[in-house]
């Protein structure tokens, strides 16, 4: 089984996805928010690229969520903080989500056979599911504004470690994947501080969102597997 790790959403546009499982990672914060929303009982999460599309898809009972410039979008019920996604706000409801990087990365990966949204919060379950599929894997680090973001690379390393735990004795990773595997080895006891020191982490800290960084750094708090089905992400765990 081959695993390729892509460093940012821009590179995903030219990647080969055919017959592969795509695992999209945006640890700060979109895929962490998706994992949290599904854990809180949202019926699905529909990622869309633009604010206008989100408003167009909205029907009564849906929840509009997302950010621009890290802040909740005017007129939306929720932002991109995982802790806003609790049963009281999302249980039984479809969340329409648009964020700067993460939702775009998901939409750019739809040429793959299957698309999964993973974060530290649900990485173990996502890796176990992908291992069972026995397809080659492409991990897409969403990054930030078309550049690599260390929080996503670190999470890719965590997923690679988790994949290896699932008896993938024939797993072969590309060079960037091997680098992310080593990065996780070095930082596995300092996930939270690495996220705080990252460019995105510092941006969120400035905006008073330190609780999000802590929330997004927890490993395997949830066991859901957000997977793309008929235009949205649902939990198939
Ligand atoms: O608000 C977020 O978490 C980020 C925005 S930015 O990269 O910090 O500008 O969006 P995301 O799509 O979750 O990376
Ligand atoms: Mg991000």
């Amino acid at each position: 089984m081959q695993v390729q790790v892509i460093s940012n959403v821009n590179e995903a546009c030219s990647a080969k996805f055919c017959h592969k499982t795509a695992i999209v990672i945006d640890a700060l914060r979109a895929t962490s928010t998706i994992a949290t929303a599904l854990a809180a009982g949202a019926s699905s999460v529909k990622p869309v690229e633009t604010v206008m599309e989100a408003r167009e898809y909205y029907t009564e009972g849906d929840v509009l969520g997302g950010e621009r410039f890290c802040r909740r979008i005017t007129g939306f019920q929720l932002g991109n903080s995982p802790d806003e996604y609790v049963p009281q706000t999302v249980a039984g409801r479809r969340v329409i989500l648009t964020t700067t990087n993460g939702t775009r990365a998901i939409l750019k990966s739809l040429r793959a056979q299957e698309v999964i949204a993973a974060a530290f919060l649900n990485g173990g379950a996502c890796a176990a599911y992908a291992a069972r599929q026995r397809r080659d894997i492409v991990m897409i680090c969403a990054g930030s504004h078309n550049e690599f973001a260390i929080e996503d690379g670190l999470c890719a390393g965590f997923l690679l470690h988790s994949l290896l735990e699932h008896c993938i004795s024939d797993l072969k990773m590309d060079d960037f994947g091997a680098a992310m595997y080593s990065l996780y080895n070095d930082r596995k006891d300092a996930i939270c501080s690495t996220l705080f020191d990252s460019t995105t982490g510092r941006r969120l800290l400035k905006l008073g969102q330190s609780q999000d960084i802590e929330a997004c750094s927890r490993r395997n708090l949830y066991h859901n597997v957000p997977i793309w089905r008929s235009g949205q992400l649902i939990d198939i765990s």
Side-chain angles (χ1 to χ4, degrees), residues 104-139:
R104 203 173 134 237
I106 292 166
L107 296 166
K108 296 284 180 215
S109 305
L110 296 181
R111 283 170 288 140
Q113 185 78 27
E114 292 215 278
V115 179
I116 299 170
F120 286 107
L121 289 169
N122 63 348
C126 292
Y129 176 82
R132 284 198 300 275
Q133 302 312 300
R134 305 292 310 151
R135 291 192 197 94
D136 288 344
I137 293 171
V138 53
M139 292 185 191

Side-chain angles (χ1 to χ4, degrees), residues 110-234:
L110 296 181
R111 283 170 288 140
Q113 185 78 27
E114 292 215 278
V115 179
I116 299 170
F120 286 107
L121 289 169
N122 63 348
C126 292
Y129 176 82
R132 284 198 300 275
Q133 302 312 300
R134 305 292 310 151
R135 291 192 197 94
D136 288 344
I137 293 171
V138 53
M139 292 185 191
I140 301 96
C141 297
S144 188
H145 304 91
N146 293 329
E147 287 184 5
F148 175 63
I150 193 167
E151 65 273 14
D152 299 334
L154 189 60
C155 188
F158 167 53
L159 288 164
L160 285 162
H161 278 256
S162 305
L163 275 172
L164 280 168
E165 277 169 24
H166 291 280
C167 332
I168 310 291
S169 47
D170 62 338
L171 186 146
K172 290 190 187 64
M173 54 188 98
D174 67 352
D175 285 357
F176 188 65
M180 296 307 103
Y181 182 87
S182 303
L183 173 71
Y184 180 76
N185 240 356
D186 289 349
R187 305 278 179 94
K188 59 177 176 286
D189 298 322
I191 303 288
C192 193
S193 61
T194 305
L195 265 52
F196 266 94
D197 288 343
S198 68
T199 305
T200 317
R202 281 182 275 128
R203 196 181 296 139
L204 291 169
L205 198 56
K206 254 192 205 159
L207 294 167
Q209 308 275 28
S210 62
Q211 80 288 353
D212 286 357
I213 305 169
E214 278 167 32
C216 294
S217 68
R218 295 188 197 123
R219 277 164 285 189
N220 298 331
L221 185 63
Y222 305 129
H223 302 287
N224 57 37
V225 181
I227 194 157
W228 187 265
R229 291 279 187 273
S230 309
Q232 55 195 358
L233 294 160
I234 58 167

